[in-house]
Amino acid sequence: MAEYLTTAQYAERYGIDVQTVRRMCERGELPAKKIGSVWRIADDPPGGRASGVEAELAEMRREIAALREWKESVCTVFSGATAR
């Protein structure tokens, strides 16, 4: 059974702005259904559905997040080091 996400969950998972996800739902670019006032999107990565620019931005956001995590771990290691 497919997992269904809200626009906020989908945006966070794939690094796309929430408003962009809503517009993609409205244009029929994502496998989504509107239930009441809430979009429910089948968990399907946007490759091929999002424009090339949006997909590239999503990848860059993921890389930046990974670099920030790495920076935090390096800072933690060096902040615990004692001066000789």
Side-chain angles (χ1 to χ4, degrees):
M1 179 180 242
E3 178 183 4
Y4 288 88
L5 307 173
T6 64
T7 54
Q9 292 168 329
Y10 191 90
E12 183 178 341
R13 183 171 290 182
Y14 296 109
I16 301 171
D17 184 69
V18 175
Q19 291 299 325
T20 301
V21 174
R22 286 189 186 115
R23 285 191 298 271
M24 292 171 74
C25 291
E26 290 167 0
R27 292 188 300 244
E29 297 174 4
L30 291 174
K33 292 186 180 198
K34 197 165 190 181
I35 301 171
S37 62
V38 179
W39 284 102
R40 292 295 180 177
I41 309 161
D43 185 19
D44 190 13
R49 288 186 171 82
S51 73
V53 172
E54 289 168 344
E56 188 174 335
L57 284 173
E59 180 61 28
M60 292 172 116
R61 287 184 184 111
R62 284 189 289 274
E63 289 174 7
I64 289 168
L67 286 171
R68 284 183 179 150
E69 288 179 28
W70 176 81
K71 176 187 165 197
E72 290 296 318
S73 65
V74 168
C75 289
T76 301
V77 167
F78 283 103
S79 68
T82 57
R84 294 182 187 208

